[in-house]
Amino acid sequence: MRKTFLVTGGTGRLGTLVVGRLRQAGHEVRVVSRRSGPGLFTVDWKTGAGLTAALDGVDVVVHCASAPGNVDMDRRLVKAAADAHVSHLLYISIVGVDRNPLRYYRTKLTAERIVEQSGVPYTILRATQFHDLIRMLLATLARIPLMPVPDLSFQPVDVSEVAARFADLAMAEPAGRVADMGGPQVLRLTDMARTYLKATGRRRPIVPFRLPGKVFGAFRAGYHRAPDHADGRITFADYLATHSDERAASHRG
């Protein structure tokens, strides 16, 4: 059955891919943006202006956007979705947001709670860090001759695989909090740094380091990983083979 979807963050890295998959499946998709432009539903998240019109006749809301440190957007969207009687609300989150005190993670956890308490049937998917984020981090660290790298391990996943799963969930019935999604490998960041340097034709001495504190401790404990849900197939090396260019990196989690 053809449905009408509204996708927040629909011009971003994840949202663009979700929009494409939903349209490919034959659904009508509305893309919400702070900007104005052809095919966009402009919403002012500070005031909520434009949100009621964007939601008129919408069946499913796919919430890919986030505002670090601020959940006002989430509250406005969820309330408007409830008022519009949408049948399904989906939210993309990050593995470990309930166990790591990082401020951005705290914000994502609060947004999850807002969705859960909305009264709207919902689905929440938590994923590990995108390959884009790891590449962006390593590109930043490689700007100096001596490359300092946090002594941590990650389980990066490709954004295209997360988008595929998120779109499938959007076209299915509400499922609550679903199983986490992780990449195919748990890798030390130092090893990923070597892979990155080789892919970009650079040479840098790599210096691992540790930091004190609860946030770094939570990352050392691996709360941001999902080894039991290594659902992705595209490895970090696979990703770098076609994305070694440092531009257009995602800022996700």
Side-chain angles (χ1 to χ4, degrees):
M1 184 178 68
R2 190 171 189 264
K3 294 183 178 181
T4 300
F5 291 80
L6 182 145
V7 180
T8 70
T11 59
R13 187 78 174 94
L14 173 67
T16 297
L17 296 174
V18 171
V19 167
R21 294 189 73 89
L22 293 175
R23 285 178 173 163
Q24 188 176 26
H27 297 288
E28 177 186 344
V29 183
R30 300 178 184 178
V31 177
V32 170
S33 176
R34 295 182 177 89
R35 304 189 302 272
S36 59
L40 299 179
F41 282 76
T42 305
V43 172
D44 183 343
W45 290 111
K46 292 182 179 179
T47 64
L51 188 53
T52 299
L55 282 165
D56 185 31
V58 165
D59 300 300
V60 180
V61 173
V62 185
H63 191 19
C64 297
S66 62
N70 192 327
V71 293
D72 291 345
M73 173 182 63
D74 307 292
R75 288 196 177 97
R76 286 194 174 90
L77 175 66
V78 166
K79 182 179 184 305
D83 292 343
H85 304 291
V86 302
S87 62
H88 193 181
L89 171 63
L90 294 98
Y91 183 64
I92 187 71
S93 191
I94 306 170
V95 172
V97 292
D98 54 341
R99 306 183 72 185
N100 190 319
L102 185 69
R103 185 185 178 192
Y104 181 53
Y105 282 23
R106 298 287 93 187
T107 301
K108 297 291 284 187
L109 181 62
T110 300
E112 284 188 13
R113 299 293 180 257
I114 291 170
V115 170
E116 291 169 349
Q117 297 166 12
S118 66
V120 179
Y122 68 90
T123 299
I124 295 174
L125 171 65
R126 291 179 180 177
T128 56
Q129 286 69 33
F130 293 163
H131 291 318
D132 305 63
L133 175 75
I134 301 299
R135 182 191 64 181
M136 184 185 71
L137 172 62
L138 295 175
T140 300
L141 296 175
R143 288 176 182 172
I144 59 177
L146 195 66
M147 189 174 178
V149 177
D151 185 17
L152 299 172
S153 295
F154 288 86
Q155 188 185 350
V157 65
D158 197 78
V159 65
S160 66
E161 295 179 308
V162 177
R165 182 170 181 194
F166 205 39
D168 287 344
L169 289 169
M171 292 183 283
E173 294 299 313
R177 164 91 186 282
V178 298
D180 294 344
M181 182 174 184
Q185 298 173 314
V186 174
L187 299 168
R188 298 208 67 79
L189 193 56
T190 49
D191 292 332
M192 286 189 279
R194 294 185 184 95
T195 302
Y196 171 79
L197 291 174
K198 182 178 180 180
T200 56
R202 298 182 179 190
R203 292 185 179 181
R204 297 282 190 280
I206 295 173
V207 181
F209 70 90
R210 290 192 174 193
L211 292 173
K214 294 181 179 179
V215 169
F216 203 83
F219 279 114
R220 283 201 307 271
Y223 298 149
H224 59 298
R225 304 193 299 260
D228 294 335
H229 299 285
D231 303 316
R233 293 293 176 265
I234 300 173
T235 67
F236 186 62
D238 293 336
Y239 164 80
L240 283 180
T242 54
H243 294 82
S244 59
D245 187 346
E246 297 172 7
R247 294 171 294 178
S250 166
H251 292 265
R252 173 183 167 77

